[in-house]
Amino acid sequence: MLVAVEEFYICAEQITVKNIGHENKGIPAAEKRFKKYVYTDGDVFKTRTHHKVATAFQYLKGLFQGRKRNIERMAERVADSEYHRIQHFISESPWDARVGFDRVASNVSKIFEPFNNVGLLIDESSHLKKGTESVGVSRQYAGTIGKVDNCQVAVYAALSAGKYYGLIDTALHLPKTWTDDKPRCLAAGIAEEQIVFKTKVEQALEIVQHQISIGTRFHFVAADALYGNSYWFQDQLDQLNQLFVLDVHCDQYVYSKPPQISIPEKTGSRGRTPCRYKTESAAKEVQKLAANIPLGRYEKIRLRETGKGDLNCMGYVKRVYIWDGSGAQYAERLLVIRLTISKDGSKEYKYALSNARHDQYTTEELVRMLSQRYFVERCFQDAKQEAGMSEYQVRGWLAWHHHMVLVMMALSFILSEKVLYKEEYPLLSAYDIREIMLNLYSAKGFTERELMQQIRKRHQQRIFKQNNNTS
C-alpha cells in the first residue's frame, strides 16, 4: 500500500488545529477556525492510498485568495502549492464528491438547528463556457445573461433561514445532445449509469429525496415557477408529505371552487366514445384573481431587516384548486400572493402555491416562505463573486463535481462565520469574510527573478495545453 506524500504535512496541521474551540473569536482566530473546519472534514478527501486534505486546504485558500479562481492562478497565489498536484486532486483523484456534498449538507443543517422554518431552496444556475468539450456544455438558456448561449447548467439546493443561507447539493444537467451521444459522455468521464436524460424538475425531485434520506433538516421546499408550474413535481412532494411553497407564473390557472371532473357521455351514434376527462368549471389566471382582491383585505407584513431598513410587503392567502387536465382528481392548494407597492405607486405581485392546510400557517409565515427563495440568488452571487464558482477551467465530470464540493465548503465556512458573529456584526457579508481571509493568507512574494520564472512556467503550461488541444 502506497504512503501518501502529504501524510507528514497532514499530521503537522492536525496538531496545529487540535482543541481549537469555535467560540474563539477575532480575526487572528479566524485562521484557526478555518483550519479546524477543513481538517474536521478531512476524511472526505481520503482515497484508498492517499489522504488529500492538505491539497483541499490549499484549494480552499485559493478560492479565497485568487483574483481569478482557476487552478493556474490559484497555484500562483497560495504559498507552498503546486499546479500539477492541485490539478490531479481536482481532475483525477478518486475521492467521492457525493460524500463531500453530504458532509456540507450535514454541516449546514447543524448550523441551522436553532432556526425555525428552514427552507430547502431549489434553483438552477448557468456557467458560460466556450468550446464543446466541457461536460454538459451546450447552447441552452443561461439565466446568468437571460438568453440562449453556450453554457453548463446545473440544479442547486440551498438551506436558508432568516437572512442566512448556504448551498448544499447540485446536479449537473445533461442535455439530450449529450445523453444521446454515449461516446462523448464516456470521454468526459460520466459513468455509464449516469448517461440518462433527466429534466431539471426530475433532478430537483431527486435532490429533495436524497436530502430527506440523509436526514437534512428543513421544513419546506421552495422553488421558482419552472418547478411550481409542474403538477407532477407538486404531486411527488405531496406523496413525500413534504410541505412546499412553489412560485407559479402569473398566468397559472386555478379554480376558486372544486372543479367537477367527468368523462362526457357520448352523444349520437357516430364517432368515438369519449375517454378524456373534462370539466365545465371555470378556471382563472392567478393575476386576474389577484386583481379583484381589494387592498384592504391584504395583510401588512415586515419581511426582514436590510441594510437600507425594513423590507415590507403585503400578503394574501386564498384556498384554490388545481387540475392537470388529464386525471380524475384535483388538488387543493393555498394561493399565496405577495404584493409590493413602490413609492411611485406601481405594484409588483409574486404568486406561489402551497400544500399547507388552510389553518396550518399564518399569512405572514406563508409569505415569508415565498420570499425566502430570494436567498438562493444570494447563494449564487456569493458563490460566483467570492468563491469562484464559475471560474473553473476543468472539463470532466469528476473535476466539475470536485470543484463544486469545495466551493460549497467555502460558502459553508462563510455561513458559520456569519452566524458566529450575528450579534456583534449582523451585517457581516461574504465579501467581508473573504477580505479577512485575503489578509490572513498573504500572496506568494516573488523576487524579480522568481517572477520571471513564474511567467516562463505559465507560458510553458499554455504551450503544453495548446499542443494537447491540437494533437
Side-chain angles (χ1 to χ4, degrees), residues 74-281:
M74 288 195 292
E76 293 176 359
R77 303 285 292 181
V78 179
D80 301 321
S81 62
E82 200 275 319
Y83 171 82
H84 293 290
R85 181 201 282 186
I86 297 176
Q87 180 69 52
H88 179 272
F89 168 73
I90 288 294
S91 299
E92 298 178 47
S93 182
W95 57 273
D96 192 340
R98 181 69 266 163
V99 174
F101 289 128
D102 290 353
R103 188 64 58 84
V104 171
S106 175
N107 290 340
V108 174
S109 186
K110 288 176 182 175
I111 291 172
F112 282 126
E113 280 181 356
F115 293 80
N116 295 320
N117 287 335
V118 178
L120 179 66
L121 314 181
I122 303 292
D123 203 355
E124 68 278 356
S125 187
S126 57
H127 310 284
L128 300 177
K129 295 295 169 184
K130 296 179 180 179
T132 60
E133 300 303 315
S134 295
V135 62
V137 72
S138 177
R139 286 194 61 80
Q140 51 193 324
Y141 181 77
T144 306
I145 56 174
K147 64 179 182 180
V148 173
D149 206 337
N150 208 53
C151 64
Q152 293 166 306
V153 176
V155 179
Y156 292 88
L159 291 182
S160 177
K163 63 180 181 179
Y164 301 103
Y165 47 86
L167 289 173
I168 62 168
D169 204 353
T170 186
L172 181 63
H173 180 65
L174 294 176
K176 286 187 69 64
T177 53
W178 275 80
T179 56
D180 289 347
D181 190 345
K182 187 175 178 179
R184 186 187 189 190
C185 289
L186 294 174
I190 304 173
E192 193 162 348
E193 64 271 16
Q194 297 282 355
I195 307 175
V196 179
F197 176 75
K198 297 174 184 177
T199 66
K200 299 182 186 74
V201 176
E202 289 171 333
Q203 290 179 304
L205 180 66
E206 288 183 352
I207 288 174
V208 174
Q209 290 171 327
H210 181 74
Q211 294 306 317
I212 292 173
S213 72
I214 64 174
T216 302
R217 176 181 175 268
F218 59 93
H219 301 92
F220 67 95
V221 175
D224 69 14
L226 172 66
Y227 310 92
N229 281 81
S230 169
Y231 294 100
W232 176 83
F233 187 64
Q234 291 189 35
D235 180 63
Q236 293 298 308
L237 293 181
D238 275 335
Q239 292 183 38
L240 292 171
N241 293 317
Q242 184 59 59
L243 174 68
F244 62 75
V245 181
L246 303 174
D247 288 17
V248 292
H249 293 134
C250 62
D251 58 358
Q252 169 72 31
Y253 280 95
V254 296
Y255 298 87
S256 296
K257 296 180 180 180
Q260 301 301 310
I261 303 167
S262 62
I263 297 176
E265 293 184 5
K266 184 177 180 180
T267 58
S269 59
R270 295 187 178 183
R272 296 181 180 178
T273 301
C275 60
R276 296 182 62 182
Y277 288 97
K278 292 187 177 181
T279 180
E280 298 298 325
S281 302

Side-chain angles (χ1 to χ4, degrees), residues 67 70-84 443-462:
R67 286 190 292 256
N70 59 61
I71 295 173
E72 199 172 337
R73 298 289 84 78
M74 288 195 292
E76 293 176 359
R77 303 285 292 181
V78 179
D80 301 321
S81 62
E82 200 275 319
Y83 171 82
H84 293 290
K444 288 180 178 179
F446 293 116
T447 64
E448 182 178 350
R449 180 180 177 184
E450 289 171 335
L451 181 60
M452 295 311 298
Q453 286 177 340
Q454 183 65 59
I455 291 172
R456 283 195 290 271
K457 183 178 179 181
R458 190 185 308 162
H459 291 178
Q460 289 170 356
Q461 289 170 342
R462 290 175 186 167

Side-chain angles (χ1 to χ4, degrees), residues 222-422:
D224 69 14
L226 172 66
Y227 310 92
N229 281 81
S230 169
Y231 294 100
W232 176 83
F233 187 64
Q234 291 189 35
D235 180 63
Q236 293 298 308
L237 293 181
D238 275 335
Q239 292 183 38
L240 292 171
N241 293 317
Q242 184 59 59
L243 174 68
F244 62 75
V245 181
L246 303 174
D247 288 17
V248 292
H249 293 134
C250 62
D251 58 358
Q252 169 72 31
Y253 280 95
V254 296
Y255 298 87
S256 296
K257 296 180 180 180
Q260 301 301 310
I261 303 167
S262 62
I263 297 176
E265 293 184 5
K266 184 177 180 180
T267 58
S269 59
R270 295 187 178 183
R272 296 181 180 178
T273 301
C275 60
R276 296 182 62 182
Y277 288 97
K278 292 187 177 181
T279 180
E280 298 298 325
S281 302
K284 273 190 175 182
E285 293 180 355
V286 293
Q287 61 183 347
K288 292 181 179 177
L289 190 152
N292 293 325
I293 301 171
L295 279 179
R297 298 183 65 182
Y298 280 84
E299 181 178 321
K300 293 183 179 180
I301 296 170
R302 177 185 176 274
L303 285 176
R304 58 182 176 270
E305 184 181 353
T306 71
K308 298 180 180 180
D310 288 348
L311 179 62
N312 301 308
C313 70
M314 303 179 77
Y316 183 82
V317 174
K318 178 179 174 60
R319 181 186 288 139
V320 296
Y321 305 86
I322 61 171
W323 179 51
D324 64 4
S326 61
Q329 302 297 321
Y330 60 83
E332 181 179 315
R333 297 287 183 248
L334 293 182
L335 173 63
V336 185
I337 304 173
R338 170 183 159 178
L339 169 60
T340 305
I341 303 176
S342 61
K343 292 181 179 179
D344 63 4
S346 59
K347 299 177 182 179
E348 181 185 11
Y349 289 89
K350 295 285 185 182
Y351 309 97
L353 291 177
S354 176
N355 60 347
R357 297 191 311 271
H358 191 264
D359 58 349
Q360 189 175 4
Y361 296 96
T362 65
T363 297
E364 180 176 350
E365 288 173 324
L366 288 167
V367 171
R368 284 179 181 272
M369 292 181 201
L370 182 158
S371 303
Q372 200 65 26
R373 206 183 65 76
Y374 159 80
F375 289 103
V376 75
E377 298 297 339
R378 290 298 303 272
C379 280
F380 295 146
Q381 181 182 5
D382 288 353
K384 292 179 181 182
Q385 293 182 359
E386 313 305 340
M389 185 187 204
S390 294
E391 295 178 30
Y392 53 90
Q393 291 184 347
V394 294
R395 293 179 176 176
W397 175 267
L398 184 65
W400 188 90
H401 286 83
H402 281 174
H403 172 76
M404 290 301 166
V405 167
L406 289 153
V407 167
M408 291 186 193
M409 287 187 72
L411 292 178
S412 175
F413 175 73
I414 288 172
L415 170 64
S416 69
E417 292 291 287
K418 286 182 180 179
V419 174
L420 179 66
Y421 284 102
K422 67 180 185 297

